[in-house]
Amino acid sequence: MAQHNELGKLGEDLAIEHLVGLGYEIKERNFTFEKAEVDIIALKEKTLAVIEVKTRSSIDFGLPQDFVKSKKIQLLTKAINQYVIQNDLDLEVRFDIIAIHKVNDSYNIEHLVDAFFHF
């Protein structure tokens, strides 16, 4: 596995650990629809949290959350619409980003709730 793929998987594992610790129920990991992949779909009370995880080994080129572009937001929206229809859900949907970057031998985790809105 390429080093950046290993870092991405580690980031998702850290994000899931973080979410479970906050009382989220993980519903899906790496849900795909057409060209879109949703890293994590989780349930917290009556809200479906759609979570994009961005992990970087450093922030020399910008914060991890700065790499979630409008095209990715469009793909996430399309995929989660399919997920909601497919599972016949009647829930609020929220889009979060979990930004992770390495600091020395540990990782800084920032959970941005309602990071962006779908249109």
Side-chain angles (χ1 to χ4, degrees):
M1 185 181 290
Q3 189 172 5
H4 70 278
N5 290 340
E6 289 176 14
L7 182 63
K9 183 178 179 334
L10 172 64
E12 287 181 11
D13 291 343
L14 291 170
I16 286 175
E17 184 179 305
H18 169 79
L19 292 166
V20 168
L22 293 174
Y24 286 78
E25 176 188 347
I26 306 303
K27 303 302 279 179
E28 298 277 344
R29 183 172 177 170
N30 304 119
F31 173 78
T32 57
F33 175 70
E34 294 180 356
K35 294 180 181 180
E37 180 180 333
V38 180
D39 292 331
I40 301 169
I41 300 172
L43 186 63
K44 177 85 183 239
E45 296 163 5
K46 294 188 183 284
T47 301
L48 193 67
V50 180
I51 300 155
E52 177 67 10
V53 180
K54 287 294 181 191
T55 309
R56 296 290 181 263
S57 57
S58 81
I59 55 172
D60 292 344
F61 299 103
L63 298 171
Q65 60 267 33
D66 295 339
F67 293 89
V68 180
K69 305 294 183 188
S70 61
K71 180 67 174 171
K72 181 63 176 182
I73 292 169
Q74 290 173 343
L75 290 171
L76 289 171
T77 301
K78 189 174 184 179
I80 206 61
N81 282 339
Q82 177 61 29
Y83 182 82
V84 167
I85 291 167
Q86 179 179 305
N87 291 286
D88 193 29
L89 300 176
D90 184 21
L91 299 167
E92 293 292 320
V93 176
R94 184 183 80 210
F95 293 88
D96 296 358
I97 297 173
I98 294 185
I100 302 170
H101 68 273
K102 191 170 185 174
V103 180
N104 299 320
D105 290 332
S106 64
Y107 289 90
N108 181 41
I109 299 173
E110 184 177 2
H111 185 174
L112 301 151
V113 175
D114 277 326
F116 55 86
F117 299 96
H118 60 285
F119 299 97

